[in-house]
Amino acid sequence: MELTWHGHSTWYVTVGDTSLLIDPFFDNPATSLDPSDVETPDYVLLTHGHADHIAHAGEFDGATVVGTPELTGYVEAEMGVDDTIGMNIGGTVELGDAFVTMVRADHTNGINTGYEHEAGMPGGYMISDTVPTQESDADSTTFYHAGDTGLMTDMREIFGAYFEPDAAALPVGDHYTMGPWQGAIAADWLDVDHVFPMHYNTFPAIEIDVRDFEREVKAAGSHAEVHALDGDESFTLE
């Protein structure tokens, strides 16, 4: 599984021959790319409807957009997207070589960060190369994209215990989501081997010293290795 961080919460994930782009927002200072510079993915996954997560969802002709029915309905009507898959919390869909489960996130979900329209529940995604079951599978590789969220006991009681993710991308910029210390607790609860900070240093309100997150992960007793990627940097998850 190949993971590329394009800044903020934007990730390009390749599972086998299938490509997934999560929360496309290229107007952030970490990336040097425009949407036109990025290879069109097979699928675009949207965690929620805020402007810094859906800004470029309509820029990838031929990609199928995945999200809550409310949000996919919006991108069809307002962004000219032709092909969508509506799903919801707890559901798993098979997308090519990937099995994608939408999980809960604690956040708000006004479309374009406004108050006129809600886009259903916000979410995160578990992305795996095998179908999730209750049985532990040492050969399975799973990546958790938390979306925008606060700390939740679901991370310990459900996500870590049953999905057994190998790696997690967690928002740590504070103010709108978890900050470094809560993100570190999440990494510990999830019991991941690798953790990637995201959703930080994009706007003044979420500017942090990412080294604080690294220190907090150690203080939490987590064994996770912290990877603070540069914009457009890739990591191979094996």
Side-chain angles (χ1 to χ4, degrees):
M1 192 179 293
E2 188 83 0
L3 313 173
T4 302
W5 184 57
H6 292 301
H8 202 55
S9 298
T10 304
W11 289 82
Y12 198 104
V13 179
T14 303
V15 183
D17 293 326
T18 302
S19 54
L20 315 164
L21 179 62
I22 308 171
D23 285 358
F25 172 63
F26 290 88
D27 293 334
N28 74 77
T31 183
S32 61
L33 302 179
D34 294 321
S36 59
D37 298 321
V38 177
E39 182 177 353
T40 297
D42 297 309
Y43 301 92
V44 173
L45 310 184
L46 304 179
T47 63
H48 64 294
H50 287 169
D52 55 323
H53 296 260
I54 68 169
H56 297 117
E59 299 292 320
F60 300 94
D61 291 342
T64 299
V65 175
V66 181
T68 61
E70 296 85 350
L71 190 51
T72 55
Y74 174 82
V75 300
E76 286 178 0
E78 302 296 332
M79 293 184 168
V81 174
D82 295 323
D83 194 6
T84 65
I85 296 174
M87 64 181 303
N88 223 313
I89 304 296
T92 300
V93 293
E94 185 175 356
L95 304 178
D97 292 328
F99 294 88
V100 176
T101 303
M102 182 182 285
V103 296
R104 180 181 152 218
D106 271 0
H107 198 58
T108 58
N109 199 11
I111 290 179
N112 282 326
T113 327
Y115 60 85
E116 296 92 346
H117 305 288
E118 283 287 326
M121 286 284 291
Y125 290 103
M126 292 285 180
I127 300 171
S128 181
D129 58 1
T130 61
V131 63
T133 70
Q134 292 186 66
E135 296 182 359
S136 182
D137 184 354
D139 295 326
S140 176
T141 300
T142 301
F143 170 62
Y144 169 44
H145 185 294
D148 279 8
T149 189
L151 184 65
M152 308 178 295
T153 53
D154 282 10
M155 294 172 174
R156 179 184 62 208
E157 304 298 331
I158 301 172
F159 303 168
Y162 292 102
F163 287 98
E164 298 182 326
D166 301 281
L170 302 176
V172 298
D174 219 332
H175 196 93
Y176 300 111
T177 68
M178 297 184 290
W181 72 271
Q182 293 183 65
I185 295 171
D188 184 44
W189 284 358
L190 291 162
D191 196 28
V192 291
D193 295 325
H194 306 279
V195 62
F196 303 88
M198 65 175 182
H199 204 277
Y200 70 96
N201 290 357
T202 309
F203 320 115
I206 60 173
E207 289 180 357
I208 64 164
D209 183 341
V210 74
R211 292 173 296 182
D212 290 341
F213 177 60
E214 296 171 352
R215 286 189 286 267
E216 291 287 354
V217 169
K218 291 181 180 178
S222 170
H223 67 269
E225 184 176 355
V226 178
H227 305 274
L229 300 182
D230 293 328
D232 309 316
E233 183 180 355
S234 296
F235 180 90
T236 300
L237 184 61
E238 299 176 327

